[in-house]
Every structure is written in structure tokens, then in C-alpha cells.
Amino acid sequence: MKADIPTQICIVGGGPAGLVAGMLFARAGVETLVLEKHADFLRDFRGDTVHPSTMELFDQLGLLDELLQLPHNKVDRIRARVAGRFIEIADFKRLKTPAPFIAMMPQWDLLDFIADKAKRYPTFRLMLSSEATGIVAGEGGRIAGVTLADGRTIGASLVIAADGRRSILRREAALPLEELGAPMDVFWFRVPKHREEETFGVFENGRIIVLIDRGDYWQCAFVFPKGEGERVRSRPIEAFRQELSTAVPLLAEGIGEIASWDDVKLLSVGLDRLTRWYKPGLLAIGDAAHAMSPIGGVGINLAVQDAVAAANILASPMAKGEAPDPLLAKVQARRWKPTARIQGLQKIAQDNIIAPLVSGKSGLTRPPLPLRLFNRLPFLRWIPARVIGLGFARERIESPDAFGTG
């Protein structure tokens, strides 16, 4: 195949996983091209959580202090109102890590920051307004690149699919997908803040609402049974606003900002994973390999861990001109267990907490004993903080720095 644009690695998807992978491969001296289908990174209601595990990686690169100069809000604990009683569930301040909190940061700021740092390396390129629409099969059926919407082709020794849960590349490559299921969908919307309060969730029989503190507004999640978005939307917007104000009175002052259903965005929740993340010439990472539930907000951070693992395993050999295919299985093997463990915990929470609550069949009248123990024994809050903030088997950057940038 004679490609219009050749490169060693073509990464499809300019999200956190794609850009971090692109930066680390380029840092190792590998010719790397990242494709982003949009003209910029400005998307509302993207995942905006940057967890301690991700900030550890920026700390390793000497970039954490600069990253935290970007606008953000710190969440150092997680609280929930369960059956009318406040429970403090996680205390991130207990973590031994450079940034013991979740940084709520607009994702477009994070992506611009990573892209800017990646451009320090002469082996890094970012192409905006470049939508990948398919794969190019080379000799013996090996994937040898991607096609773009404008008809051009990108030739690459390795294609990395970081194009999200609706990945075109994983579909085109026919990678095997296992559906774990999700009992809920979510409406996202903004409500201006008129008083100081911290991020928290409301868990009651028939209702789950999460409020994330974004400084001068709440980013709100209204959780409802899977596939019932149209039923919820069939009500007048005034009825929806009244339900929210009744359930969470502190929203009442700003609730009028939800002028119509156009201000309420649907997130279709999925929980799935590829049983094989690769085939010759192609590797899937992040949501393209495993779509995460929004529980814990860990999706971005799992995706970034995948990116680091891929660079740790592949960057040095590829910089030396070695073929990547024999190493692709090692990336999946390294990330499979920590990913499956988090998905398993999300599945348990979905089936045993979320589904009964949103269906109105839980009969919840008081917080379950395990939750009440968090209030009685504060040291227990370290456990969910550790799982949410740092995950399992978190990565350290081991790929080389060919340019001596530190």
C-alpha cells in the first residue's frame, strides 16, 4: 500500500488515552501521528475527572505543578445522602500520593495541555478535523493503516484504536466484544450554584442524583432505568425541574436555567470489553477496549493507564525498528486484570445498588450497614478512596526519553 501519509504509529482518537499514548511514544523517538475527528477538543459533558493515579503520571514527567495551574476544583472526599442520611464514603486525603484528591478539570483544558506538551517532541504530530472511517488491510490481511473521511490513507506499522466506546476501528477489525450490561442511563445538565456545598450524591428508592461541584455551577447526573429516556422526556420540563428541586432543595434557586429538554444531554451507559484487544497491526486501548460505567468516574484514568502500559511495552522496541505484533498480547495481559476487577466492582454496584434504586424496588429505608460503618469507623474510607483514586496495578512510566526532557 502506498499511503498518502506514512508514520510508524497512527493513534485514532484525540482523547486522554490517545494523546498520552502519542506523547509517550513520541518521547521515545517513535514517529507518531494522532488523529482527532473534530476541529478542537471543546466538547461539553465529557468526563472531567482527573484521579490521583493520573496525576502521579504527570508528576513523573515533571508536569504536575503546571497541570494544576489549569482551572480545576478539588474533590478530596466523596459523600452521599443515602435514604436521607449523609454518609462520607471516601477520603482521598489519606492516600500517599503527590495529589491526594480528584481534580475536576474541563477535559478540553486537559487535552490542550497534553497536546501542547507532546508537541515538544519532533516525532509527534496531531491532525485535527481528520476522521478515520476504516482500516486498510495490507499483506496477509495485516492492518497497515486507516482511511480518512476525505479519502486519504494513513500508513502505519501499528494502528492504536483510542476512538472510544463506539470505536469504528474495533468494529471494522471485528474484534470480539463481551457485553456486561448496564441497568441505567444518565441525563447530564448544569445548574448554577448559589451556595457553597461539596460534591455529593442522593440515593433514595426510585431516585439517584449526583451533584459535582464545578465552582460556579453544579454538573448534575440524573440516573434512570436503561432505555427510559423518552419516557422521562415525555414530561413537561417544569415537572422535571420540580422533581429535582424537591429531591435536592439547594438546586431550587438555579433550576430555572434548565429552560427546556435541549439543556439536558443523554449519556447512554454501557459496560463492555473486548475479549481480545488486538490483531496484527492493531491495538485497542481505553473505552475502545473496555467501556466503563460512570460509577466512580474512573474511565479516563483506566484509559490513561492503558496508554502508559502500551508505551512501556512497545515504544522502546518500535524505536529500534522491531515489529510490534509479537508484543501486542502483552499489553492486554498487563491491563486485563486491573480493568476486569474495576468492571467487576462496577457490575456488583449496578446490579445490587443502582438497578433496585432506579426501578423503585429497593425498599431502602436506611443506609445499609456497610455504609453506616464508614461514619462510625473513618479509617474505612481509605478503602474506596484507594480503589477509586488509584485503582489496581497502576502504571509507572518506563518508556524511554529519547530527547532528555525528563
Side-chain angles (χ1 to χ4, degrees):
M1 177 195 77
K2 183 175 176 56
D4 296 299
I5 303 173
T7 188
Q8 278 185 279
I9 287 187
C10 176
I11 300 174
V12 177
L19 286 175
V20 168
M23 177 172 63
L24 294 178
F25 276 103
R27 179 175 176 264
V30 180
E31 291 287 343
T32 303
L33 173 62
V34 177
L35 303 177
E36 166 56 40
K37 68 179 181 180
H38 298 105
D40 55 41
F41 298 124
L42 192 61
R43 303 287 169 274
D44 208 353
F45 298 111
R46 300 181 79 153
D48 292 342
T49 57
V50 185
H51 283 47
S53 59
T54 298
M55 288 187 282
E56 281 187 340
L57 299 170
F58 285 105
D59 186 57
Q60 291 174 43
L61 293 169
L63 299 174
L64 180 58
D65 289 344
E66 191 174 350
L67 174 70
L68 293 178
Q69 291 176 17
L70 299 177
H72 69 280
N73 294 93
K74 292 182 180 180
V75 176
D76 56 22
R77 62 175 180 161
I78 292 179
R79 299 185 307 145
R81 196 184 80 202
V82 182
R85 180 176 173 184
F86 270 103
I87 304 290
E88 187 163 337
I89 295 172
D91 182 359
F92 298 105
K93 299 188 295 295
R94 296 172 178 266
L95 299 178
K96 304 300 183 183
T97 185
F101 55 87
I102 294 174
M104 301 302 304
M105 178 181 295
Q107 191 174 117
W108 51 82
D109 286 341
L110 174 65
L111 298 180
D112 281 334
F113 178 83
I114 300 170
D116 181 64
K117 298 307 175 185
K119 290 173 184 175
R120 298 180 297 173
Y121 306 114
T123 46
F124 177 86
R125 284 182 293 166
L126 171 64
M127 286 175 48
L128 300 172
S129 301
S130 300
E131 181 180 3
T133 55
I135 56 178
V136 175
E139 185 176 347
R142 183 184 187 276
I143 293 172
V146 300
T147 57
L148 300 183
D150 61 10
R152 290 181 296 170
T153 58
I154 309 291
S157 301
L158 177 66
V159 174
I160 295 182
D163 52 341
R165 63 185 60 212
R166 296 180 182 85
S167 172
I168 293 172
L169 297 191
R170 81 177 186 184
R171 185 188 68 218
E172 291 289 308
L175 293 173
L177 182 66
E178 177 186 8
E179 293 279 359
L180 302 178
M184 75 287 197
D185 288 325
V186 177
F187 279 139
W188 283 103
F189 51 93
R190 293 183 177 188
V191 176
K193 279 182 63 179
H194 291 276
R195 70 181 76 174
E196 284 305 313
E197 185 59 81
E198 297 179 355
T199 295
F200 70 96
V202 175
F203 295 81
E204 299 171 344
N205 192 34
R207 180 183 295 121
I208 298 176
I209 304 170
V210 178
L211 277 65
I212 300 173
D213 181 5
R214 299 309 305 271
D216 59 353
Y217 69 90
W218 295 109
Q219 184 169 312
C220 303
F222 179 87
V223 184
F224 56 89
K226 186 74 176 176
E228 295 195 10
E230 287 306 312
R231 179 189 62 80
V232 179
R233 283 181 180 270
S234 67
R235 297 182 295 166
I237 193 64
E238 294 79 8
F240 183 64
R241 293 198 300 250
Q242 183 60 48
E243 178 180 355
L244 293 170
S245 299
T246 301
V248 191
L250 66 86
L251 292 179
E253 292 179 74
I255 201 70
E257 292 295 317
I258 306 177
S260 72
W261 283 108
D262 291 338
D263 297 322
V264 180
K265 310 301 180 184
L266 173 67
L267 169 64
S268 180
V269 176
L271 187 65
D272 64 43
R273 61 191 176 216
L274 298 176
T275 55
R276 190 177 74 252
W277 297 10
Y278 60 91
K279 65 189 311 182
L282 176 71
L283 172 68
I285 63 172
D287 277 0
H290 46 77
M292 309 299 291
S293 166
I295 296 171
V298 297
I300 293 172
N301 303 282
L302 267 290
V304 169
Q305 298 289 315
D306 290 352
V308 174
N312 285 345
I313 292 169
L314 299 169
S316 183
M318 291 191 70
K320 298 173 184 175
E322 298 176 19
D325 290 356
L327 300 172
L328 299 182
K330 291 186 177 182
V331 180
Q332 178 177 347
R334 185 151 162 171
R335 296 304 308 158
W336 177 265
K337 285 185 178 179
T339 301
R341 289 176 73 182
I342 291 291
Q343 286 190 318
L345 291 174
Q346 290 184 327
K347 178 70 171 170
I348 290 170
Q350 285 185 166
D351 292 349
N352 294 281
I353 300 173
I354 306 296
L357 283 177
V358 297
S359 68
K361 299 176 181 178
S362 73
L364 183 71
T365 58
R366 65 185 301 203
L369 176 60
L371 292 183
R372 300 200 303 272
L373 288 176
F374 287 127
N375 278 2
R376 296 177 189 173
L377 304 171
F379 70 89
L380 293 177
R381 300 168 192 164
W382 177 86
I383 299 171
R386 174 67 172 74
V387 173
I388 295 170
L390 299 177
F392 301 109
R394 66 192 189 275
E395 301 289 337
R396 288 190 58 84
I397 296 170
E398 301 166 358
S399 52
D401 180 359
F403 302 97
T405 55

